[in-house]
Amino acid sequence: WLDKIPGQHRFLMDTTTPDGFGSAILYANNFLIANQNAYGLKGSDSAVVIVARHFSTVFAYNDMIWAKYGAGFSQRLNFLDSQTKQAPKVNVYNSAAHVAPLPSFNNTLDAVLKRGVHLAVCQMATRFFAMGIAEATGGNADAIYNELASNVVANSHMVPAGIVAVSRAQEHGYTFAAVG
């Protein structure tokens, strides 16, 4: 799938933390704007991928998943909604009402996805979160994994491991940036 994304200017950002994921949204937007303004490139001239792995993985899930499991994610990540100071009930990086104080600086995930950015979502971390949810709720880890994997945001690709996606992307000519 890495080769199917149009664009000769290939850029991959590796994220592992909630703040790193927000920064990657900002950097993806900046990359596209700067290439447009400085070089006259269209979005389709660039292939941009954000790797969501480790503790950033949960931000690849949609609002339905956050409404259901946000409290568990919040506890595991020690991450709170900056407005309510409670566990998020929505994916805050995909909410215009929430992004102002976040590292994405008013850029939503949906906005960059609509410009062609893709996500590589770590299956290993998704399984880790599914097991934690199952343990906390008495649920079935495989069923919860399937639910999480079926409820990722647009332009998401489940990958065996985020770190493997980082390696494979470089083999496919993507420039690498560690975002955190």
Side-chain angles (χ1 to χ4, degrees), residues 114-135:
K114 285 180 179 174
R115 296 185 70 195
V117 173
H118 287 251
L119 299 181
V121 184
C122 183
Q123 287 181 354
M124 291 182 81
T126 297
R127 288 204 183 278
F128 168 79
F129 283 106
M131 289 186 320
I133 292 166
E135 185 178 294

Side-chain angles (χ1 to χ4, degrees), residues 25-26 29 93 95-109 111:
I25 293 169
L26 172 66
N29 188 63
Y93 283 115
S95 168
H98 288 85
V99 291
L102 297 173
S104 61
F105 291 147
N106 283 322
N107 293 288
T108 64
L109 177 57

Side-chain angles (χ1 to χ4, degrees), residues 12-30:
L12 175 118
M13 290 167 280
D14 181 30
T15 69
T16 60
T17 65
D19 282 352
F21 189 82
S23 293
I25 293 169
L26 172 66
Y27 302 158
N29 188 63
N30 289 353

Side-chain angles (χ1 to χ4, degrees), residues 1-176:
W1 65 270
L2 290 165
D3 284 333
K4 292 180 182 174
I5 302 172
Q8 78 179 71
H9 305 285
R10 296 174 170 219
F11 184 44
L12 175 118
M13 290 167 280
D14 181 30
T15 69
T16 60
T17 65
D19 282 352
F21 189 82
S23 293
I25 293 169
L26 172 66
Y27 302 158
N29 188 63
N30 289 353
F31 181 82
L32 293 169
I33 288 173
N35 274 304
Q36 177 184 338
N37 293 345
Y39 301 104
L41 299 179
K42 298 178 287 222
S44 61
D45 293 324
S46 297
V48 180
V49 176
I50 297 172
V51 177
R53 68 180 180 95
H54 198 58
F55 287 160
S56 71
T57 305
V58 298
F59 298 101
Y61 307 142
N62 65 26
D63 284 345
M64 194 260 329
I65 292 297
W66 276 90
K68 190 171 182 179
Y69 300 121
F73 297 155
S74 177
Q75 183 178 3
R76 174 90 48 186
L77 302 175
N78 193 27
F79 181 84
L80 299 175
D81 180 325
S82 62
Q83 292 178 348
T84 67
K85 306 301 182 212
Q86 302 293 318
K89 294 181 180 166
V90 299
N91 183 339
V92 295
Y93 283 115
N94 212 17
S95 168
H98 288 85
V99 291
L102 297 173
S104 61
F105 291 147
N106 283 322
N107 293 288
T108 64
L109 177 57
D110 189 50
V112 297
L113 296 176
K114 285 180 179 174
R115 296 185 70 195
V117 173
H118 287 251
L119 299 181
V121 184
C122 183
Q123 287 181 354
M124 291 182 81
T126 297
R127 288 204 183 278
F128 168 79
F129 283 106
M131 289 186 320
I133 292 166
E135 185 178 294
T137 65
N140 178 287
D142 288 334
I144 294 167
Y145 168 82
N146 289 333
E147 180 183 21
L148 296 175
S150 296
N151 285 282
V152 291
V153 298
N155 296 357
S156 290
H157 308 268
M158 295 300 291
V159 296
I163 197 66
V164 171
V166 169
S167 173
R168 295 299 183 270
Q170 290 177 85
E171 291 170 2
H172 288 267
Y174 283 76
T175 300
F176 168 77

